[in-house]
Amino acid sequence: MGTQISFNAEEVEIDNGKGLLPPGWYQVELESNHTWEAASTGSQCLRIDCTIVGGPHAGGTIEIKPLMFWNPPGDVSKKIADEILAKICHAVGVSGIRQDLDELMGKRCEVKIGHGKKGENHTFWQWRPMQSMTAQNTSPPAAQTSPAWSNNPSN
């Protein structure tokens, strides 16, 4: 007979030593954005900071970086950054940005995160509108063409 214990794994917060959130869906509010120039390439980069607004990690932060927007047209990094920004826009219910990224700040959505191949950073698999009826954005939701916007079509 095995050792008898009572154990609930859901009550244990696992410290993976890298400060990463567990993979899964998070309700977030887009809080701030920052730009800088990458010293090695001269590319203009963007980071968006999000605050987790629900669940056991509420109050925590998620950084979306680096998005390289001002690279030459056709650059792969710019294409990826444009796709991620489009997914965020769809998830928060806006069709685009008229003048300034601050137009997205204060908006809420959900993001599904995972971990990079080596487990050292977050990856953002999907973006979607808030599923909770109590979480409202200030803009009306945009028409949806798919249920979730995914960086990884296999999910």
Side-chain angles (χ1 to χ4, degrees):
M1 176 181 232
T3 304
Q4 301 226 341
I5 66 168
S6 176
F7 179 77
N8 183 350
E10 298 298 319
E11 295 175 354
V12 178
E13 187 169 333
I14 299 171
D15 180 7
N16 59 19
K18 297 180 180 170
L20 299 179
L21 295 165
W25 283 102
Y26 292 87
Q27 294 180 337
V28 298
E29 181 171 315
L30 301 157
E31 291 287 335
S32 61
N33 61 83
H34 311 276
T35 59
W36 74 94
E37 184 174 306
S40 60
T41 63
S43 298
Q44 293 295 311
C45 303
L46 166 70
R47 180 184 87 219
I48 299 175
D49 296 329
C50 303
T51 298
I52 301 169
V53 295
H57 298 283
T61 59
I62 297 175
E63 293 180 347
I64 305 163
K65 69 175 184 177
L67 303 177
M68 297 180 193
F69 282 99
W70 297 277
N71 285 4
D75 181 82
V76 173
S77 297
K78 180 177 180 357
K79 180 181 181 306
I80 292 168
D82 287 348
E83 288 175 1
I84 292 170
L85 187 58
K87 291 171 189 178
I88 294 170
C89 285
H90 288 296
V92 300
V94 300
S95 60
I97 299 168
R98 291 180 195 91
Q99 291 184 335
D100 192 302
L101 281 167
D102 286 345
E103 295 171 36
L104 295 179
M105 300 308 110
K107 304 264 188 221
R108 293 182 174 195
C109 63
E110 292 185 358
V111 59
K112 183 178 182 184
I113 65 169
H115 294 159
K117 291 181 183 178
K118 296 179 183 176
E120 74 282 1
N121 58 7
H122 290 118
T123 57
F124 304 94
W125 298 101
Q126 295 178 338
W127 295 86
R128 69 182 182 197
M130 293 286 272
Q131 301 297 303
S132 166
M133 295 302 289
T134 60
Q136 300 291 320
N137 283 318
T138 56
S139 299
Q144 287 183 265
T145 56
S146 64
W149 297 271
S150 173
N151 289 346
N152 183 350
S154 65
N155 280 355

